[in-house]
Amino acid sequence: MEKNKLYIPEHVGIIMDGNGRWAKKRGMPRYVGHTYGAQTFRKITRYISKCGVKILTLYAFSTENWKRPPEEVDAIMKIFDQYLVDALTDFRDDDIKVVFIGDKSGFSPRLRKLIEENEEVAKDRKGMLLNIAMNYGSRDEIVRAVKMISQDVLDKKLDVNDINEDTIASRLYTSGQHDPDLIIRTGGEHRLSNFLLYQSAYSEFYSTETLWPDFKNEDFDKAIIEFNKRNRRFGGV
Ligand code: IPE
Ligand code: IPE
Ligand code: MG
């Protein structure tokens, strides 16, 4: 991609969907798709960092995904475990700063410890910020923010009349981060499925039929080229 001619969005979000269908198409159990999806995750993250994106938010597991059959949830947790062990060194050379957004209390003590270790080893890195959304749901995130605001009002740290959009934004997991400019969804659906609802008010949405395990660097390039054709008005003219 001739990146010098294109505007690279500052913050990109990706809804990594289609792992199950990818495996089914090949006559394999759904969880196999998640294993391949994890490989795509690694490769594409490095590529996106090299493209000059400053913040990448990847949707890995939603607060609603616990509804899936226990065998599938277990398989996903095992993949996370393996991923988190590898990730301790994985993105070091690319200087990628990994943080996790979502309700960490939903995970086993072992996973929580691995998550903490990953954040700790990456905390001084200066490259792309990678938000991994795990047990993330935007409604849950907003409820959490409302509780924090209510407590601050009760404690008289905040006056109700001073509540504004920033009061809410600064209590979301993405506090201090530029809103996503572009949200990509693989797997062909045209919905957000509880991803960054507050933050995506003016994000450009790009959907591709490509299933996540098949998503390649060139597919990301296509999304960037399409993004460059969009006319973002933010309600203006
Ligand atoms: C996305 O792939 C990964 C997770 C939600 C964990 P899916 O598992 O939703 O795959 P499809 O959409 O059923 O093909
Ligand atoms: C969204 O995909 C969540 C992730 C990619 C982690 P889903 O497969 O859960 O979404 P729906 O059920 O099709 O809306
Ligand atoms: Mg899906």
Side-chain angles (χ1 to χ4, degrees), residues 1-8 224 228:
M1 176 164 65
E2 285 212 58
K3 291 179 207 81
N4 51 351
K5 294 207 185 91
L6 288 169
Y7 173 74
I8 301 294
I224 296 298
N228 273 261

Side-chain angles (χ1 to χ4, degrees), residues 16-21 30 65 68 185 189 191:
M16 308 183 287
D17 196 26
N19 292 348
R21 278 166 282 165
R30 289 178 53 87
N65 286 147
R68 295 183 177 203
R185 181 166 185 147
E189 311 293 358
R191 55 176 172 260

Side-chain angles (χ1 to χ4, degrees), residues 4-223:
N4 51 351
K5 294 207 185 91
L6 288 169
Y7 173 74
I8 301 294
E10 191 168 323
H11 183 173
V12 176
I14 306 184
I15 303 171
M16 308 183 287
D17 196 26
N19 292 348
R21 278 166 282 165
W22 185 90
K24 268 191 86 180
K25 259 174 57 182
R26 287 165 177 75
M28 298 189 285
R30 289 178 53 87
Y31 76 86
V32 178
H34 300 307
T35 308
Y36 280 86
Q39 291 175 15
T40 301
F41 171 100
R42 278 202 175 84
K43 278 188 235 148
I44 208 75
T45 297
R46 284 211 184 80
Y47 180 68
I48 293 176
S49 148
K50 289 198 171 78
C51 288
V53 167
K54 299 276 182 286
I55 307 172
L56 174 64
T57 303
L58 295 179
Y59 202 9
F61 192 82
S62 77
T63 46
E64 287 72 50
N65 286 147
W66 299 103
K67 290 182 198 161
R68 295 183 177 203
E71 311 82 69
E72 182 174 345
V73 172
D74 284 354
I76 293 173
M77 293 305 139
K78 284 207 182 77
I79 292 165
F80 283 157
D81 193 301
Q82 185 57 52
Y83 166 73
L84 289 167
V85 171
D86 297 343
L88 286 168
T89 50
D90 215 14
F91 295 129
R92 197 175 44 198
D93 295 343
D94 304 86
D95 212 21
I96 294 170
K97 184 177 162 123
V98 189
V99 298
F100 293 82
I101 64 171
D103 181 4
K104 295 171 186 163
S105 72
F107 296 112
S108 68
R110 181 183 151 87
L111 276 184
R112 286 213 296 271
K113 189 161 166 282
L114 279 167
I115 286 172
E116 265 171 39
E117 285 171 6
N118 268 284
E119 289 183 330
E120 179 59 31
V121 295
K123 74 176 191 315
D124 295 324
R125 294 186 193 155
K126 299 279 180 288
M128 184 179 77
L129 174 65
L130 170 63
N131 296 311
I132 304 180
M134 259 169 55
N135 196 20
Y136 172 88
S138 200
R139 287 184 171 182
D140 181 62
E141 176 183 41
I142 293 167
V143 168
R144 182 175 164 271
V146 170
K147 284 182 181 165
M148 285 186 225
I149 294 168
S150 310
Q151 194 60 53
D152 284 350
V153 171
L154 280 173
D155 295 344
K156 304 212 177 328
K157 286 182 194 150
L158 182 64
D159 189 293
V160 172
N161 297 310
D162 292 335
I163 295 175
N164 57 30
E165 292 182 7
D166 283 340
T167 318
I168 298 171
S170 66
R171 284 162 180 83
L172 301 177
Y173 292 118
T174 50
S175 170
Q177 299 177 16
H178 183 82
D179 281 339
D181 302 290
L182 170 66
I183 293 184
I184 298 171
R185 181 166 185 147
T186 62
E189 311 293 358
H190 295 85
R191 55 176 172 260
L192 285 169
S193 302
N194 209 6
F195 185 55
L196 303 177
L197 302 182
Y198 191 85
Q199 299 90 330
S200 67
Y202 279 101
S203 304
E204 294 298 323
F205 192 63
Y206 177 86
S207 171
T208 168
E209 292 293 327
T210 304
L211 303 171
W212 178 248
D214 289 329
F215 193 79
K216 300 277 179 308
N217 297 350
E218 301 74 56
D219 296 297
F220 180 73
D221 293 349
K222 279 188 204 154

